[in-house]
Amino acid sequence: YIGPPLKSSFDALFGAGSPKTQEAIELYRQRFASTGLYENKLYPEIPGALGALRDLGAMLIVATSKPTVFAERIIEYFGLGGLVRAVYGSELDGTRSDKAELISYVLKSEAMSAASSSMVGDRSNSGATATRFSMPSPSENVRTRASSLSVTWIMRRSCEFK
């Protein structure tokens, strides 16, 4: 599952505050923990790209709205643990599922400034969060004045990044 936090998605489906939301989250996580996280596919170029960035001196940190316990398992499953410094995500209780709250936590935990950080994301909330924190472009030459790099990995509505 790639997308907004599960609670937001299920609230939109069932209505905010519906007891079905928590039940759906629990059922989803049961399957995801045993099967779903292994159904992800890694693009073949990703390990090489991450390695090249690391070799250029970039400190690579995963910051995802996905629960940390799942994100860490996915990173290890695909053998990417040695390419990233740390993996940060939300807690199962929903703490840090908001991208801005998560990024604030990462910056504080890693003693980093937003001005020396960039974000690469595949969802519009990543770009919005990077802008909110005034993060510079991932490019060394910041001519674009973009605060993040948006990527599309799968079929995605192109309007999300406009």
Side-chain angles (χ1 to χ4, degrees):
Y1 174 76
I2 298 175
L6 288 175
K7 183 175 183 328
S8 300
S9 298
F10 288 131
D11 275 348
L13 182 64
F14 301 123
S18 170
K20 290 182 179 180
T21 293
Q22 190 56 40
E23 181 182 354
I25 289 171
E26 289 171 15
L27 290 171
Y28 178 90
R29 286 182 176 161
Q30 283 175 8
R31 185 184 183 285
F32 191 79
S34 63
T35 305
L37 65 90
Y38 303 112
E39 293 175 329
N40 291 291
K41 299 272 189 253
L42 183 66
Y43 287 85
E45 301 85 2
I46 295 298
L50 293 176
L53 289 168
R54 183 203 55 207
D55 293 348
L56 289 171
M59 181 186 351
L60 304 174
I61 295 173
V62 174
T64 177
S65 297
K66 188 182 293 338
T68 304
V69 296
F70 297 142
E72 289 174 336
R73 288 174 61 193
I74 292 167
I75 292 295
E76 291 307 317
Y77 177 74
F78 287 111
L80 303 175
L83 299 172
V84 300
R85 174 184 171 116
V87 178
Y88 289 90
S90 64
E91 299 299 327
L92 292 172
D93 68 1
T95 303
R96 291 188 299 280
S97 60
D98 174 75
K99 189 65 83 147
E101 179 187 6
L102 174 64
I103 295 303
S104 180
Y105 180 79
V106 170
L107 292 172
K108 183 177 179 181
S109 297
E110 294 291 331
M112 298 167 49
S113 73
S116 66
S117 307
S118 293
M119 186 180 313
V120 176
D122 66 348
R123 300 299 300 203
S124 61
N125 68 342
S126 296
T129 301
T131 299
R132 177 176 171 187
F133 282 89
S134 300
M135 291 178 165
S137 167
S139 148
E140 198 169 7
N141 182 348
V142 190
R143 284 181 289 181
T144 63
R145 298 291 180 228
S147 58
S148 65
L149 175 65
S150 299
V151 294
T152 55
W153 304 110
I154 57 174
M155 287 180 30
R156 165 112 45 237
R157 286 183 237 147
S158 62
C159 64
E160 182 171 347
F161 293 123
K162 291 182 181 178

